[in-house]
Amino acid sequence: MTALQPLSLAQQSQQAIDELLTLQDMVRWAISRMTASGIYFGHGTDNPQDDAVLLVTHALDLAWNQADQWRDCRLTRDERQAITTLVRRRIEERVPAPYLVGEAWYCGLPYLVDERVLIPRSPIAELIEQQFRPWLSDQPQRILDLCTGSGCIGIACAMQFPQAQVELLDLSFDALAVAEANIQRLEVDDRVMALQSDLFSAASGRYDLIVSNPPYVDADDMACLPDEFHHEPELALAAGDDGLDLVHVLLKQARQYLTDDGVLVVEVGNSWPALAAAYPQLPFQWQEFERGGHGVFVLKAADLDTL
């Protein structure tokens, strides 16, 4: 007896279109297919269920949090086709789900995203939600988001500190176009502006808070990143052999742009041991996060006087 050959993803998709009926059916099918595929999760979701709900609801023009409300509703054939098309792209092309739906949530806000910018996921979100306590004793008047990408960190800071003026700086004009779209979408254009800048080159005056999620992936990590990361701009990820090409410059220049009571917050991810070893004189305060993440330090302006 000849053993049955496993169905291809295309065949499985056609079977789903022909035989499945409800929203819940399609969510379950998407979870099964993504689990079996071994794809990487880590761009706003960390499991196949969240990815499945995001893709299915997007295909149906529903909000992601409305899935339970409509779970038993029957879908049209065209709707099932749209869902399987998204799931196949997620699996076959390894495109992160936020790029497929054009949106990512950060600090409770929806941001437009595409392959011109990193998908928002920095653990700095927890510090923003805590208003950077205890390091900021007063409400900041001027905030700088350096290497802003989509603008998510700086805009989230603007939401937490409604009296602050916020500047978003980035080298990439493509990224700045996305950041500007998010400024308009979230209606903060009266207090937030995006400028093209090579690190601090377009900065003006001094800031009470400088926050940065710069490129920090070292050469070894770049060589073994999951395929999903290769849809993100390399300019926003790669930073030389030790992952610190930009951070070295940032540390040397930051003090002149901070007020005397100012605070510097920077994410360096897996490159944190190399950074700590390179600057033993700096009292880095490495943060711990309830929702995961690592490699974020806090320094006060006075800490940088030794550089």
Side-chain angles (χ1 to χ4, degrees):
M1 181 180 295
T2 304
L4 293 176
Q5 295 297 312
L7 297 179
S8 67
L9 182 57
Q11 291 170 321
Q12 292 172 338
S13 299
Q14 190 59 54
Q15 188 179 58
I17 294 168
D18 293 340
E19 299 179 14
L20 301 182
L21 297 176
T22 68
L23 185 152
Q24 185 61 28
D25 288 339
M26 296 306 299
V27 169
R28 196 281 310 157
W29 177 82
I31 292 171
S32 296
R33 299 286 67 77
M34 289 193 286
T35 299
S37 72
I39 60 178
Y40 173 81
F41 301 96
H43 290 87
T45 67
D46 60 6
N47 62 83
Q49 179 170 336
D50 288 347
D51 255 29
V53 169
L54 187 63
L55 296 177
V56 170
T57 53
H58 176 74
L60 301 175
D61 292 322
L62 296 173
W64 61 268
N65 58 359
Q66 292 181 320
D68 284 344
Q69 181 179 347
W70 305 105
R71 62 187 301 165
D72 296 323
C73 291
R74 293 163 66 103
L75 307 180
T76 68
R77 188 177 185 85
D78 285 349
E79 288 174 330
R80 298 195 296 272
Q81 175 73 62
I83 290 167
T84 60
T85 296
L86 281 177
V87 173
R88 287 187 62 183
R89 288 198 65 199
R90 179 69 181 93
I91 293 171
E92 294 174 340
E93 301 175 33
R94 295 300 202 257
V95 181
Y99 284 155
L100 291 172
V101 305
E103 183 178 82
W105 287 72
Y106 188 77
C107 283
L109 299 170
Y111 290 86
L112 299 170
V113 295
D114 59 33
E115 295 190 11
R116 292 174 291 177
V117 296
L118 294 183
I119 295 167
R121 55 185 179 273
S122 172
I124 289 173
E126 290 189 31
L127 303 183
I128 297 172
E129 292 163 359
Q130 297 161 9
Q131 296 192 330
F132 299 94
R133 297 187 183 98
W135 303 284
L136 285 179
S137 55
D138 298 316
Q139 295 283 300
Q141 299 302 306
R142 300 192 72 215
I143 299 172
L144 175 61
D145 176 9
L146 200 60
C147 305
T148 191
S150 66
C152 63
I153 290 176
I155 293 173
C157 287
M159 293 296 190
Q160 284 291 329
F161 302 108
Q163 79 294 334
Q165 296 293 317
V166 181
E167 293 178 16
L168 314 179
L169 304 188
D170 203 289
L171 180 64
S172 167
F173 284 107
D174 285 341
L176 289 168
V178 178
E180 184 60 42
N182 282 317
I183 289 172
Q184 299 303 319
R185 184 186 203 194
L186 295 167
E187 300 179 344
V188 290
D189 54 303
D190 60 327
R191 296 187 297 112
V192 181
M193 63 176 169
L195 300 169
Q196 197 276 340
S197 183
D198 185 355
L199 283 182
F200 289 102
S201 64
S204 60
R206 293 176 179 257
Y207 304 88
D208 303 301
L209 174 64
I210 298 176
V211 188
S212 184
N213 179 17
Y216 60 70
V217 182
D218 65 35
D220 288 342
D221 282 351
M222 281 297 298
C224 59
L225 285 175
D227 290 341
E228 280 81 357
F229 286 92
H230 295 291
H231 289 276
E232 296 189 295
E234 184 175 348
L235 180 66
L237 291 169
D241 290 342
D242 63 359
L244 299 174
D245 281 3
L246 269 71
V247 177
H248 290 307
V249 180
L250 190 160
L251 282 174
K252 287 180 172 59
Q253 297 181 354
R255 180 62 182 94
Q256 63 184 297
Y257 296 101
L258 281 168
T259 60
D260 289 342
D261 295 323
V263 174
L264 174 67
V265 180
V266 181
E267 178 177 350
V268 296
N270 288 344
S271 296
W272 75 265
L275 183 66
Y279 298 93
Q281 75 276 33
L282 288 181
F284 294 111
Q285 298 182 61
W286 298 101
Q287 303 305 296
E288 297 182 359
F289 299 99
E290 291 183 1
R291 300 196 295 267
H294 63 278
V296 174
F297 69 78
V298 176
L299 288 171
K300 295 184 177 181
D303 297 331
L304 296 165
D305 288 337
T306 59
L307 293 182

